[in-house]
Amino acid sequence: MTIPAAVAERLPALRANPAFVGIRNLIHTRARPDWLLRPEVLESLGILAAHDVPFDVVSVLPRHLQHVPDPVGPPPDLRMVIDHLSKPPIKAVATSLGAA
């Protein structure tokens, strides 16, 4: 995702595989939550959007989602999948509601 030319070069082969459904990047392992705003990443995301390839956002903390709806962030026509609904704290919420 940090080398747009490599994304553009590899994408046709990936799309030829019938099992291919999208691109996933483990953004939750990145040291900076603004990784999605790096110019080269935005360019790569634009390539995915142009080919209608979904981008799977693997997030663990709310900070990992802060740039998903950002108007200067990923292209608005990029289909994004929020992996596991960003792992919401279901147990903590259920406990606070007395449902645990």
Side-chain angles (χ1 to χ4, degrees):
M1 293 300 297
T2 58
I3 305 173
V7 172
E9 181 181 320
R10 182 117 196 266
L11 198 54
L14 291 172
R15 293 184 75 211
N17 182 334
F20 176 74
V21 295
I23 297 290
R24 170 182 279 187
N25 190 283
L26 304 178
I27 65 169
H28 69 289
T29 64
R30 305 284 179 178
R32 297 174 48 171
D34 61 350
W35 178 83
L36 279 175
L37 299 181
R38 291 177 59 174
E40 64 275 17
V41 174
L42 289 173
E43 185 177 343
S44 293
L45 293 174
I47 293 167
L48 297 183
H51 293 278
D52 197 31
V53 173
F55 180 70
D56 189 5
V57 179
V58 180
S59 63
V60 176
L61 300 171
R63 74 181 182 100
H64 299 130
L65 293 177
Q66 87 183 69
H67 295 302
V68 169
D70 193 326
V72 297
D77 55 343
L78 176 66
R79 291 189 299 142
M80 299 179 88
V81 176
I82 308 301
D83 186 69
H84 298 285
L85 294 175
S86 191
K87 299 179 179 32
I90 295 171
K91 185 176 181 179
V93 171
T95 301
S96 72
L97 296 173

